[in-house]
Amino acid sequence: MHLRFSLGLLLASIALLPTLASATERRFTYTYQSGVLNPGDVELEPWTTVRNGRNSGFYNRFDQRLELEVGLTDRLQMAWYLNTTALTRDVGPGRSTSFEVKGISSEWKYSLSNPVADSLGSALYLEAALGPAESELEAKVIFDKRVGGFLAALNLVGEYE
């Protein structure tokens, strides 16, 4: 049931997007780059992580983040995330399914320099997450450099949970 709800939410989000949609170029999954959205640009990005197959029988978990990202200035962007988890697993003789809103997150990224125009691209990143079971604060210093088709990126990360 919760999987159907999540898929329905995803399909509704896609249906509400304008006919001509575009997204920023993202080369890496977990390593951020220094670029930010143009002022007024908006992106809606669903993230889904599937976890399944534990030693104790059936286990199927979907961790989902629905991100709304907005370019505020030519150097600053912000984003809001809705974080959820849907879990189905064997419990005793039966199977249990649950859906939980894990919380919300807010992300801010400020570009200090451009990886093409400057010798090195750099940005500062801050993300705060708040939920019923946990909260966290994450900071990153982002470096990247593009030379032709080659892109190198480095993130220095600190996190407090």
Side-chain angles (χ1 to χ4, degrees), residues 19-61:
T19 305
L20 296 174
S22 63
T24 56
E25 180 181 6
R26 186 155 180 186
R27 301 283 181 135
F28 307 109
T29 303
Y30 296 107
T31 303
Y32 283 69
Q33 297 165 242
S34 63
V36 296
L37 290 176
N38 292 323
D41 283 358
V42 177
E43 284 188 4
L44 182 66
E45 182 178 345
W47 296 37
T48 302
T49 303
V50 178
R51 305 171 195 275
N52 58 25
R54 301 288 170 123
N55 291 336
S56 58
F58 184 84
Y59 183 92
N60 192 1
R61 176 174 152 183

Side-chain angles (χ1 to χ4, degrees), residues 1-155:
M1 177 175 161
H2 299 293
L3 177 60
R4 281 185 267 153
F5 171 78
S6 298
L7 289 175
L9 180 62
L10 175 62
L11 292 175
S13 299
I14 292 170
L16 294 174
L17 292 175
T19 305
L20 296 174
S22 63
T24 56
E25 180 181 6
R26 186 155 180 186
R27 301 283 181 135
F28 307 109
T29 303
Y30 296 107
T31 303
Y32 283 69
Q33 297 165 242
S34 63
V36 296
L37 290 176
N38 292 323
D41 283 358
V42 177
E43 284 188 4
L44 182 66
E45 182 178 345
W47 296 37
T48 302
T49 303
V50 178
R51 305 171 195 275
N52 58 25
R54 301 288 170 123
N55 291 336
S56 58
F58 184 84
Y59 183 92
N60 192 1
R61 176 174 152 183
F62 288 86
D63 292 330
Q64 299 167 324
R65 299 184 85 190
L66 183 61
E67 175 191 25
L68 178 66
E69 196 170 61
V70 179
L72 300 175
T73 71
D74 62 340
R75 291 184 174 265
L76 180 65
Q77 77 178 31
M78 62 83 58
W80 286 100
Y81 294 86
L82 175 63
N83 307 310
T84 64
T85 295
L87 173 62
T88 300
R89 65 182 173 158
D90 285 342
V91 177
R95 193 163 280 176
S96 168
T97 298
S98 63
F99 178 82
E100 180 181 1
V101 175
K102 302 293 276 185
I104 59 171
S105 303
S106 178
E107 165 191 301
W108 295 80
K109 183 166 60 166
Y110 184 78
S111 177
L112 300 170
S113 58
N114 185 298
V116 176
D118 299 318
S119 60
L120 185 68
S122 60
L124 300 175
Y125 170 102
L126 184 66
E127 181 177 345
L130 182 62
E134 67 181 357
S135 59
E136 72 178 57
L137 187 60
E138 179 180 351
K140 296 181 184 182
V141 179
I142 299 167
F143 299 103
D144 60 348
K145 180 62 183 168
R146 181 181 302 273
V147 179
F150 177 76
L151 173 65
L154 172 69
N155 293 180

